[in-house]
């Protein structure tokens, strides 16, 4: 079979790109352990205020877990509870968030934390804040007339 040299070149490029892509994906998934967040943790959106740990929004110290603190957020149109929270520098924190009404976003500006909060589900991420300062939390899912007002703040402080 005769192939034009450009065709050969493109075919080689395509196969090489595919191998690079699959290698990057494989290393990320199996070696670095990056996985899509599971949506297995559910909650009754009507009973958020009475369901632990969402009955106590804010930073809670925990014992005997892989992380030192649980940072609990409840989102609703158009605010987060708590509206501001202090986190100790360098502590391992599990951020847990859910929403009481519609879909909201949960982006911590300046970090790679960016979650979608869906009614009925708990969104979680384990992280460590290594830099002192204020981190703005914003909603990046359009949720209604007050969407642009919806913010919170994490203050990372030395202790
Ligand atoms: Cu909440 Cu946009």
């Amino acid at each position: 079979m005769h192939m034009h040299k450009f065709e050969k070149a493109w075919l080689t490029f395509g196969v090489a790109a595919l191998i690079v892509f699959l290698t990057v994906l494989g290393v990320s998934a199996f070696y670095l352990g990056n996985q899509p967040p599971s949506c297995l943790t559910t909650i009754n959106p009507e009973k958020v205020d009475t369901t632990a740990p969402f009955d106590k929004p804010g930073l809670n110290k925990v014992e005997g877990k892989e992380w030192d603190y649980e940072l609990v957020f409840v989102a609703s149109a158009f605010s987060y509870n708590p509206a501001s929270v202090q986190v100790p520098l360098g502590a391992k924190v599990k951020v847990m968030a859910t929403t009481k009404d519609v879909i909201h976003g949960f982006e911590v500006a300046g970090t790679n934390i960016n979650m979608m909060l869906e009614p009925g589900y708990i969104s979680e991420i384990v992280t460590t804040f290594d830099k002192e300062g204020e981190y703005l939390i914003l909603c990046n899912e359009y949720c209604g007339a007050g969407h642009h007002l919806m913010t919170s703040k994490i203050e990372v402080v030395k202790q």
Side-chain angles (χ1 to χ4, degrees):
M1 185 180 70
H2 176 74
M3 271 211 259
H4 192 275
K5 63 177 180 185
F6 287 165
E7 207 175 354
K8 246 186 218 164
W10 272 114
L11 202 61
T12 310
F13 175 77
V15 170
L18 188 67
I19 289 169
V20 168
F21 173 74
L22 290 175
T23 306
V24 168
L25 197 72
V27 168
S28 166
F30 298 108
Y31 180 67
L32 300 175
N34 289 326
Q35 287 172 354
S38 75
C39 271
L40 292 177
T41 327
T42 55
I43 184 169
N44 181 342
E46 287 172 7
K47 293 190 179 149
V48 168
D49 289 332
T50 53
T51 308
F54 296 97
D55 52 346
K56 275 191 235 139
L59 190 72
N60 305 315
K61 177 111 181 118
V62 292
E63 303 285 343
K65 296 198 181 169
E66 272 174 60
W67 42 88
D68 311 313
Y69 293 93
E70 286 176 354
L71 181 52
V72 179
F73 280 95
V74 176
S76 57
F78 300 99
S79 63
Y80 296 97
N81 184 8
S84 158
V85 67
Q86 287 198 341
V87 174
L89 182 69
K92 200 165 184 188
V93 176
K94 184 184 198 182
V95 182
M96 307 170 79
T98 191
T99 163
K100 292 203 279 185
D101 39 43
V102 297
I103 291 177
H104 295 284
F106 187 95
E107 177 177 358
V108 185
T111 72
N112 63 355
I113 301 172
N114 189 358
M115 305 192 285
M116 194 183 205
L117 310 183
E118 296 165 275
Y121 293 96
I122 298 171
S123 302
E124 303 174 335
I125 186 166
V126 176
T127 189
T128 304
F129 292 94
D130 293 324
K131 253 199 243 158
E132 259 181 288
E134 280 188 12
Y135 294 82
L136 180 69
I137 298 170
L138 15 109
C139 180
N140 55 14
E141 297 287 338
Y142 184 71
C143 52
H147 163 70
H148 62 291
L149 301 172
M150 204 169 155
T151 63
S152 178
K153 191 173 71 177
I154 294 175
E155 259 183 275
V156 178
V157 290
K158 223 182 242 166
Q159 284 194 337

